[in-house]
Amino acid sequence: MNYFTDFINSLALIRVTDIIDIAIISFAIYKLFSLLRNTRAEQVLYGLIIVLVFASIADILSLNTVSWVMNQFLTVALVFIIVVFQPELRSALERIGRGRSIFTGERVLKSENTIDELTRAMSSLARQKIGALVVLEREVGLNDIVESGTRLDADVSSELLINIFIPNTPLHDGAVIINNEKIIAAACYLPLSNSNLISKELGTRHRAAVGISEKSDAIVIVVSEETGNISVVENGRIDRYFDEDSLKQRLQNDLVLVKEEAHKEDKKEEDDE
C-alpha cells in the first residue's frame, strides 16, 4: 500500500513542463533513429547505447575502473563518429532541413500536360526496353547535379525525352533533371547509394536513383534497360512495376499537392491583370 501511495504522490509532483520535456526528448530520439535507419551509423548508434548501459551499470555497482574506461571510450567515440560518419550525419541534417516543406508546400509541376508528356515518354521507353533516369526536382535545389551534365532549359515533351535516352546518342548516359515544367539538364551524374537493402537484381540506375532521393526530396523515375519495368524512387524507397496509368496517378498525387492553392493564385493573377 505504501508503494502505491508513493507512486500517487510522485505523479502529483509531475508538472506540465516535465511532460513537454519528456515528449520533446522522445520525439528527438525517434527522429534520430528514423534518420539513421538503414545506414552504417545505425549500427554504431546501437553500439553506443550498449556502452552507455554498461557505463551506467558500472556506476551503480561502483566499478570505478570499468566506469573510467567506459567514459574515456565514449569521449573518443564521439570524435570518431563525427569523422567517420560525416556523410551520414550531413544527410541526416539535410533531411531535417528540408522538413520545412511540410509547412511551405511543394509545387513542381503545375501543368497536367507536363505529367502527360512525361508518362507517355516513360511508357514508350519501357516498351522498347530503353533505360532512362529522370529526376523531378522539388524543394531541395540540385544545382550541383545540374552542373555535372548538359544544360537544356527546354520544354518537357515526350519526343525530346525519348530522343535523349536513345542509346549511343550524346546525352543518353546519365540522368535528366526536370523542374518548373522544364528539362533543366541531361546527362547528369547522380551519387550512388550505399544502402545494402537495394535488390541485387537492380543495377546502377536504381542505385543512383536511391542515392539522389536520400540526399534530396526529389522524385526519381527509372526505366530498366533489362526488363523495361518502370520504378519510382522517393526518400530512398523503390516502388516498382508501374504502367502508364499508375505512373500518371502517382505523379499527380505527389507533384500536384497544392492544386487548389495554385488555382487561387492563378485566379488572383488574372484579377490583378
Side-chain angles (χ1 to χ4, degrees), residues 204-217:
T204 304
R205 280 192 184 88
H206 291 83
R207 190 166 289 276
V210 173
I212 193 63
S213 74
E214 290 173 340
K215 298 180 182 300
S216 73
D217 60 347

Side-chain angles (χ1 to χ4, degrees), residues 11 21 41 60 86 95 103 121 142 167 210 215 227 266-267:
L11 291 179
D21 195 21
I60 293 173
Q86 182 267 341
R95 292 175 65 181
F103 305 100
L142 299 175
V210 173
K215 298 180 182 300
T227 63
D266 293 339
K267 190 174 185 302

Side-chain angles (χ1 to χ4, degrees), residues 152-201:
L152 297 179
D153 292 320
D155 292 334
V156 176
S157 70
S158 58
E159 292 82 5
L160 178 55
L161 285 169
I162 292 170
N163 284 332
I164 286 174
F165 290 110
I166 293 296
N168 302 320
T169 55
L171 301 179
H172 88 282
D173 190 18
V176 162
I177 311 296
I178 294 179
N179 189 20
N180 291 330
E181 303 180 28
K182 292 284 187 179
I183 299 176
I184 305 299
C188 298
Y189 292 98
L190 305 183
L192 298 181
S193 172
N194 293 319
S195 174
N196 56 7
L197 298 179
I198 301 175
S199 173
K200 300 296 183 183
E201 66 184 71

Side-chain angles (χ1 to χ4, degrees), residues 77-95:
L78 290 176
V79 178
F80 172 81
I81 289 172
I82 293 173
V83 173
V84 175
F85 294 101
Q86 182 267 341
E88 283 82 0
L89 294 174
R90 184 180 66 180
S91 176
L93 291 174
E94 287 174 348
R95 292 175 65 181

